[in-house]
Structures are given as C-alpha cells and as structure tokens.
Amino acid sequence: MKVSLASAMGTCFGVQDAINLAMSPEFSNELTIVGQLVHNPQVSESLKKNGVSLVPGVEEIDKIKTKKVMITAHGAADKTKKLLNSAGFTVYDASCPLVMRVHQTIKSMVNKGYFPVVIGQKDHVEVKGIVGDLDEYLVINNEDDFQKIHESGNRRLGIVTQTTQQRDKVEALVAKIRALDYVDDVAFVNTICQPTHDRQVAVHELADQVDLMIVIGGFNSSNTKKLVHVCDEKGIEAHHIESFDQLNKDWFINKQHVGITAGTSTPENVINEVHIKILDIAKEIENHTLLTS
C-alpha cells in the first residue's frame, strides 16, 4: 500500500503566528483567549498545559480572571475589542491578516454605497466577526438564501467571502447572483485565503491518484471540512479525523494508495503521528497478507 502526502497541508502562517503569540512565555498563567484560538483540539490542550485560560466567547466576559486577553486567529469585530478594553482588559490581537483583509474590504464596499453580503456560514466565528460592526448585512451560503436578497430590496451588492470557502462554489454563486433580475450591480472581491486555496488544489490533485484519503483537522474546522467535501465531489472515500488514535484498520484493507491531507489549523506533529500510524497499519496488513497467502 502506497502512502502519499498532499503537496500543501497543515498550519498556515496566520495560525502558526497566533499559536506562537499565545504560547509566548510572557503570557504564562496570565492570559485568557476569548474563543478557540484555532479550530484544533491538540492546540487547545497545549495552551491549557501552558497555563492559558479559555472562555467560549465575549458573552462570558464575567468568567475572565486574567487582565490579559487575546482575540483568536478568526478575528473579531471592533466593538468586541472595544468592549474588552472598556472592561479593563489588555487586548492582544492574534487575528489572521487575511481575515482582517475581509473586514477592511467589506467596510470599504459599504462606504462606496454597496449593501454588504458575505458568502459563508452565518454561525461561524469568522463570519460573526466580519459582520459584527455592520448595521445591516446578509450572509449567503447557497442558492436557497437568494430569497434574502430579494426580500432585502437591495439591488447594489458588495460581496466578500469567508476565507475558508471553496473557490468553485463561490464563483458559481456570484455568477448566479449577478444574473438575478432583482440585482443591478455586484462588486465582488474574492477573499478566500491563499493557504486555504492551496490546500484545496493539493487535495484535488492527490484525489486523482488515491483510493482513500485521510483528512486531519478539528471536527469544527471549516477549511478541513472543505477538504473532505473536495474528496466527496470526486467520489473518493475520505475519513475526517482529529488524531491518529481515530484511525480504523478496516478502512485500509484492499486499498492500493492512501492520501493524507490536513487543514490549516493542524500542527505538523499531529500530521506526523497520523502518517506513522498509517505506515504501521500498511505494514501490518502486508504482513498478514503474506502469512495467509
């Protein structure tokens, strides 16, 4: 059984910068992260072991016991940062620059008279941050949401996208929005981040070569789910796991070529552990086949 790694996978620079900042010795036992720094359980555990406290969100501000707080890599609205400052906290910002580019882009569109629209998941923390400072907006995830545009009565739309969306999906949705008879003008800026796109392209290419894909990343990681979706679209069996101990030997029986990829929040050591375990499984299956042949 051959095992191949995707040409682009694992932590992106925005995630790694956020982790490095939060793990800085100056914060030991004196920092609370407001939200999940990145969507990866191993990272969260490492932070806790390093003395960092975590609260689910700013709505639980009363549970913050440290003076220093940190905004996650997913970004946050300015009003959230101001709320924390006004409550007496010192705020450190680990927002990914590519996420903040989305914030700046949509605000610029509003200033130019466009009604703001975000293509993404309305309940995702990144999207909540993007729209958090807007007076009005729409979040569109698929064609079923087009009725929202009609009901809003806005005919001049400024569209951005959550950074972890799939490019093909976004471009198709924008083309269909442009064709709506109740829309006159669409300004669109593709704000999918390059690392996300690179990983989607890499898994798309690898899926053409394998008969099984293992996708590593947090179960609540949007970009990791998109990697699974790419495999589903290509008809390739894929299993989404968070760690090596979730691998099932039965998945690999009669498989000739296994691919491994990982989302942008998945650390290298987690990928290595999965890779080693899969190589062990491959050897075990091969030895069993030799003994029974």
Side-chain angles (χ1 to χ4, degrees):
M1 184 175 72
K2 182 179 180 181
V3 181
S4 297
L5 300 172
S7 60
M9 64 176 178
T11 50
C12 60
F13 76 91
V15 165
Q16 194 58 57
D17 286 351
I19 294 171
N20 292 344
L21 179 61
M23 295 292 280
S24 175
E26 69 177 288
F27 293 132
S28 184
N29 299 310
E30 296 181 1
L31 178 69
T32 299
I33 297 174
V34 184
Q36 195 172 6
L37 183 69
V38 297
H39 285 160
N40 181 271
Q42 291 94 338
V43 171
S44 294
E45 283 306 308
S46 294
L47 290 167
K48 290 177 184 177
K49 289 178 182 178
N50 202 49
V52 177
S53 301
L54 309 174
V55 295
V58 71
E59 63 277 1
E60 298 196 20
I61 193 171
D62 59 316
K63 294 183 179 179
I64 300 175
K65 306 303 181 185
T66 63
K67 285 295 183 182
K68 299 175 182 178
V69 299
M70 184 172 288
I71 301 298
T72 76
H74 302 101
D78 287 341
K79 68 179 183 182
T80 296
K81 300 171 187 178
K82 290 176 181 176
L83 174 63
L84 291 167
N85 275 316
S86 64
F89 298 105
T90 301
V91 180
Y92 295 83
D93 197 343
S95 301
C96 172
L98 299 182
V99 172
M100 298 317 297
R101 171 178 170 249
V102 188
H103 288 234
Q104 294 158 3
T105 300
I106 201 163
K107 288 176 182 176
S108 175
M109 288 176 164
V110 171
N111 290 336
K112 293 175 182 176
Y114 289 97
F115 183 82
V117 176
V118 180
I119 295 177
Q121 301 156 275
K122 66 178 182 179
D123 294 326
H124 192 279
V125 61
E126 179 189 321
V127 173
K128 289 181 177 179
I130 293 168
V131 303
D133 293 319
L134 303 177
D135 294 328
E136 52 181 352
Y137 58 87
L138 290 176
V139 178
I140 302 294
N141 193 42
N142 51 49
E143 289 183 61
D144 293 339
D145 293 326
F146 286 0
Q147 185 63 24
K148 297 178 184 178
I149 299 174
H150 193 198
E151 292 172 353
S152 75
N154 293 285
R155 305 182 69 91
R156 195 165 183 256
L157 309 178
I159 303 177
V160 298
T161 178
Q162 183 181 349
T163 59
T164 54
Q165 289 291 297
Q166 285 179 268
R167 182 167 296 184
D168 290 348
K169 169 192 170 180
V170 168
E171 291 177 348
L173 282 176
V174 172
K176 290 175 181 177
I177 291 172
R178 290 186 192 278
L180 295 173
D181 58 11
Y182 45 85
V183 173
D184 294 331
D185 183 17
V186 172
F188 168 60
V189 177
N190 185 346
T191 51
I192 297 172
C193 77
Q194 191 62 45
T196 290
H197 178 64
D198 290 345
R199 282 148 185 74
Q200 290 175 5
V201 169
V203 75
H204 192 279
E205 293 172 349
L206 185 56
D208 288 332
Q209 307 169 39
V210 304
D211 49 5
L212 173 67
M213 189 77 73
I214 302 300
V215 184
I216 315 164
F219 290 142
N220 61 340
S221 166
S222 174
N223 75 86
T224 305
K225 292 177 183 178
K226 298 299 187 300
L227 297 177
V228 177
H229 188 61
V230 170
C231 297
D232 291 343
E233 288 183 329
K234 295 181 74 68
I236 299 299
E237 180 182 347
H239 295 281
H240 181 177
I241 64 170
E242 289 187 329
S243 63
F244 74 93
D245 56 359
Q246 293 166 350
L247 291 166
N248 185 331
K249 191 176 84 170
D250 291 344
W251 298 342
F252 302 89
I253 296 174
N254 297 323
K255 295 297 189 293
Q256 302 301 312
H257 192 175
V258 177
I260 299 174
T261 188
T264 57
S265 298
T266 310
E268 184 178 1
N269 68 296
V270 176
I271 298 171
N272 290 339
E273 289 173 348
V274 172
H275 188 195
I276 291 169
K277 181 65 175 180
I278 291 175
L279 292 175
D280 288 343
I281 290 173
K283 188 177 294 185
E284 184 180 344
I285 291 174
E286 181 181 349
N287 291 338
H288 177 76
T289 302
L290 290 173
L291 288 172
T292 56
S293 60

